[in-house]
Amino acid sequence: MEASNKKKRSVAIIGAGASGLAACKHAKARGFRPVVFEAGDGVGGVWRHTLASTRLQTPAQAYRFSDFPWRIAGGGEFPRHDKVAEYLAAYARRFGVLECVKLGAKVLAVEYVGVAEEEVAAWERWSGNGEAFGDGRGEWLLTVQRRGSDATLTYKFDFLILCIGKYGTPNIPTFPLNEGPEVFNGKVLHSMEYSRMHQADAAKLIQDKRVVVVGSGKSAFDTVTYCADTNGIAGYPCTMIYRSTHWMVDAGPVYGVKLGSLCATRFAELSVHKPGEGLLLSLLATMLIPLRWLVSKLVEAWFKTRIPMKKHGMVPSYSFSRSIMACRLGILPDGFYDRVDRGKIVLKPCKSFRFCEDGVLLVDGGGCERVDADVVILATGYQADPHLSGLFFSPWFSKIVARSSSDDTTAPLYRQCIHPRIPQMAVIGYTESTANIHAYEMMAKWVAHLLDGEVCLPGVAEMEHSVAEWDRWGRRSTRARGRKSCIGTVMWYKDQLCRDMGHNPRRKKGALLAEWLQPYGPADYADIQ
C-alpha cells in the first residue's frame, strides 16, 4: 500500500495496555497514524491498577517486546507491577506511541456502517475482497465518552483494533435468595475493585479486620498474601476459601534447569498435538506422549518435594503439563507457605459457600462451617466474553465474536486476530499465552502486515475451518482445569504468523541443534517489523 493511501486510511485502537501499545507501535511503523482510546489516565493497562505485592509470573527476559529489552533498574527476574508499568511506559515513549493516545476516552460502543449485515454475512472473502480496508464502503463508528462529561462524541475509522483484554468484567458468583452478600453485615467486593483502590485505602479497608478471600488463582494468592502482611503480626489471619487447586510453584530451576528450557523448545513441542499439524507430526506427538508424561511427573515430583502442597492439601488434581498448556501455571508469592505455617494465612477448602450475617458458611458434603468475616474479597476471575461482545451495537456481531463464557476453548478468531465474519476489525490480546507481551506483539506485527496488504487471507470458509481446528485443539488441551482462549507455549502458532508475513519461522540462524534444543524467546523475532 502506497504511503499516500496509508495517510488516508484511519485506524482506531481501543485500549492502551500492552497489546494496544504494540498494535499502535507497529501500525505507526507501517506508515499509519492510529488513534488509541484509553479510558484510564495512563498507559499500561492492568499493570497500573493492581496490588503492591503483585509480580510478574514470567521471567522478565521472556515477558518483553522483541526489540525493547528490559532496562528498568531494580526489576529483578520477576519484577513488581510498578516496574512492569514503568517498562510499558518506556516502550510507549521510545516508539512515539504516547502522541497517539487519547487518555480519559472511554469507548461505549462500536458500530459497522456502510454495508448491510445481510451482504456482510454472504461474503465469501473477509471484508468482501480479502483486504484489510475492504472496498472502501464500510467504516466503524465509535461512541466515545470523555472523563468528567456525560456527553458523547462519534468518531469514524476505516479499521478497528480491539485491545481491551479479558479483565474488565468481574465474575461474581450467584447465590439463592437470602444466601448472598445482601445478608452479610460486612463489605463484599471483587479483587478487581480492590486492586484498583489507592494503596492507602486498600490497606485501611482490611486493617485489623477479619478478611476472607474467595478463590485459588493467582489473584487470590496475591490478595491473601497482601492481606496477611497488611494486618501485621498482631492482626487477624486472612482466610482463603477455595473449591479447587492449581499449580502454584516457586521461581527456581527444576533439577538445575529453568522451566523455559524444558517447555519453550521445538523439541519439547514435538510431543504436543498442534492444530492442523498433519498425519506425520500427529503420529510423532502421539509416540512422544510417554516422554512428555515422564518429564511432567519428574517436574511434579520436584515441586512436591520443595513446596509443602501435600501438607496443606493444595496438590492439584491435574498434571503439570496440562497446567502449562492451559496457562494455569502460577508463581507463588515469596514465603506464602511460611505465612500459612505461622497462622497468618488459613486455607479452607469447600465445595461451595454462602453468606451469613457475620461471615460465610462453608459447605462440604453434609457439613457446614462458619468463618467469621468483616471483609470478603471475591478473587473469582473474570467474564471475558461480555467484556468483548458488549461493545458491539450489532446483536449479530456481539453474538458471533465470542463463545459462551462456559466454553473453555480458544476464541473464534482466525490466527487469534480476526473474526472471519466481522470486517475491517482485529482483536489483539484476547487469546493468552505463557508470555503475553510477546504473543501480543506477534499478533500486532501480523495485523500491521495485514493493514499494509502483506498478508494474503484465504476465503471465509477456509478461515472458519482453521478456527474450528484451533477450537478442537483448545478443547483437547484444556479439558481439565482449562482456560478459555489460551495458546500455551505453542510455537506452531508463531510459525503460522511468520509464514503469513513472509518471514522464515526458523529463527536460530541455521544452527540445527540450537533450532531444536535452545529455548525460543522474544529476541528471536526482533527483526520482524
Side-chain angles (χ1 to χ4, degrees):
M1 184 181 296
E2 296 180 359
S4 59
N5 289 331
K6 293 177 187 178
K7 293 179 181 179
K8 297 177 183 179
R9 300 296 194 184
S10 54
V11 177
I13 300 171
I14 302 178
S19 57
L21 299 180
C24 183
K25 184 261 188 184
H26 288 284
K28 274 175 54 59
R30 291 268 157 178
F32 297 95
R33 296 294 296 172
V35 178
V36 183
F37 294 91
E38 168 55 46
D41 56 1
V43 302
V46 295
W47 291 107
R48 299 188 66 252
H49 304 285
T50 189
L51 295 176
S53 59
T54 302
R55 289 182 175 271
L56 264 182
Q57 294 293 282
T58 307
Q61 64 267 24
Y63 198 89
R64 50 159 281 197
F65 297 107
S66 62
D67 56 355
F68 194 69
W70 276 81
R71 294 191 178 92
I72 306 301
E77 186 176 14
F78 295 90
R80 289 196 324 266
H81 75 99
D82 55 331
K83 298 297 181 181
V84 181
E86 188 178 343
Y87 171 77
L88 294 174
Y91 175 84
R93 289 192 299 271
R94 168 64 179 82
F95 295 107
V97 172
L98 292 179
E99 64 191 43
C100 302
V101 179
K102 290 181 178 291
L103 296 176
K106 183 178 182 179
V107 178
L108 302 179
V110 299
E111 180 181 7
Y112 185 72
V113 298
V115 183
E117 280 191 1
E118 294 78 10
E119 182 179 350
V120 172
W123 279 341
E124 295 181 357
R125 302 294 304 278
W126 184 70
S127 294
N129 59 5
E131 298 179 4
F133 298 99
D135 61 7
R137 290 182 295 152
E139 60 185 357
W140 285 94
L141 302 183
L142 276 61
T143 301
V144 180
Q145 184 179 51
R146 300 305 299 262
R147 188 192 304 117
S149 173
D150 293 329
T152 60
L153 299 173
T154 300
Y155 296 85
K156 294 182 180 181
F157 290 92
D158 297 310
F159 196 91
L160 173 64
I161 306 177
L162 300 182
C163 301
I164 60 176
K166 303 178 66 174
Y167 305 110
T169 303
N171 181 44
I172 306 295
T174 57
F175 300 88
L177 184 64
N178 296 324
E179 294 184 4
E182 70 277 3
V183 303
F184 179 50
N185 291 328
K187 174 77 172 177
V188 180
L189 69 167
H190 193 269
S191 57
M192 182 183 77
E193 179 184 355
Y194 187 62
S195 64
R196 292 182 176 180
M197 294 176 65
H198 189 276
Q199 290 187 18
D201 295 332
K204 183 179 179 180
L205 176 66
I206 63 173
Q207 189 72 49
D208 298 321
K209 302 284 179 59
R210 297 167 298 180
V211 181
V212 168
V213 177
V214 181
S216 60
K218 175 57 179 172
S219 62
F221 275 79
D222 283 341
T223 303
V224 75
T225 301
Y226 176 78
C227 291
D229 291 345
T230 302
N231 254 337
I233 298 176
Y236 294 105
C238 186
T239 302
M240 185 170 85
I241 66 174
Y242 58 93
R243 184 172 55 188
S244 58
T245 56
H246 307 291
W247 283 99
M248 299 291 297
V249 302
D250 58 31
V254 179
Y255 301 113
V257 181
K258 290 190 175 181
L259 277 178
S261 300
L262 292 173
C263 304
T265 66
R266 289 196 180 276
F267 179 76
E269 192 176 80
L270 286 176
S271 67
V272 178
H273 284 287
K274 299 164 281 292
E277 62 191 347
L279 179 60
L280 183 60
L281 286 177
S282 178
L283 289 174
L284 183 57
T286 300
M287 292 171 60
L288 290 174
I289 285 177
L291 176 61
R292 188 180 71 188
W293 178 88
L294 177 61
V295 172
S296 175
K297 290 305 176 183
L298 288 173
V299 173
E300 289 178 20
W302 171 266
F303 284 128
K304 288 177 182 178
T305 300
R306 287 177 54 87
I307 303 171
M309 292 182 283
K310 186 174 181 180
K311 173 184 176 181
H312 297 290
M314 297 294 284
V315 178
S317 61
Y318 59 102
S319 70
F320 180 81
S321 65
R322 193 168 297 281
S323 74
I324 295 289
M325 291 303 299
C327 300
R328 280 290 189 184
L329 182 65
I331 302 299
L332 276 171
D334 291 339
F336 178 83
Y337 285 109
D338 291 338
R339 295 178 180 87
V340 176
D341 289 333
R342 297 200 307 270
K344 297 182 68 175
I345 293 174
V346 177
L347 304 175
K348 293 279 187 181
C350 64
K351 292 188 180 299
S352 63
F353 78 98
R354 61 179 183 264
F355 285 90
C356 60
E357 289 185 357
D358 299 320
V360 294
L361 296 174
L362 310 185
V363 181
D364 198 347
C368 192
E369 177 186 357
R370 191 180 81 177
V371 177
D372 294 334
D374 302 301
V375 179
V376 175
I377 301 175
L378 302 172
T380 48
Y382 298 84
Q383 297 184 49
D385 291 347
H387 186 51
L388 176 63
S389 61
L391 270 179
F392 291 88
F393 179 83
S394 163
W396 180 50
F397 284 178
S398 180
K399 180 180 179 180
I400 66 175
V401 74
R403 309 182 200 279
S404 67
S405 295
S406 61
D407 212 3
D408 285 332
T409 183
T410 53
L413 304 173
Y414 178 72
R415 296 297 192 252
Q416 311 303 318
C417 291
I418 62 173
H419 193 285
R421 297 285 177 180
I422 302 181
Q424 297 168 235
M425 186 197 79
V427 181
I428 299 176
Y430 184 81
T431 302
E432 296 184 81
S433 78
T434 51
N436 280 337
I437 280 186
H438 177 47
Y440 299 162
E441 183 188 33
M442 289 298 293
M443 295 173 189
K445 291 179 179 183
W446 187 88
V447 171
H449 280 70
L450 177 67
L451 293 174
D452 215 10
E454 294 186 6
V455 169
C456 182
L457 294 175
V460 168
E462 188 175 340
M463 287 198 290
E464 289 179 333
H465 177 73
S466 175
V467 169
E469 285 184 329
W470 278 88
D471 176 68
R472 289 190 294 271
W473 173 82
R475 292 177 187 275
R476 290 195 305 268
S477 299
T478 63
R479 64 179 178 268
R481 305 296 181 195
R483 173 174 292 177
K484 182 174 179 148
S485 300
C486 170
I487 56 174
T489 59
V490 179
M491 280 176 290
W492 183 258
Y493 169 66
K494 288 180 280 188
D495 290 350
Q496 289 178 325
L497 297 187
C498 286
R499 292 189 187 97
D500 289 348
M501 293 185 286
H503 291 274
N504 186 353
R506 303 297 194 228
R507 312 300 302 167
K508 295 297 186 182
K509 310 304 180 186
L512 184 60
L513 286 178
E515 182 65 46
W516 287 98
L517 300 179
Q518 281 188 5
Y520 259 74
D524 293 311
Y525 299 86
D527 62 340
I528 299 178
Q529 296 295 328

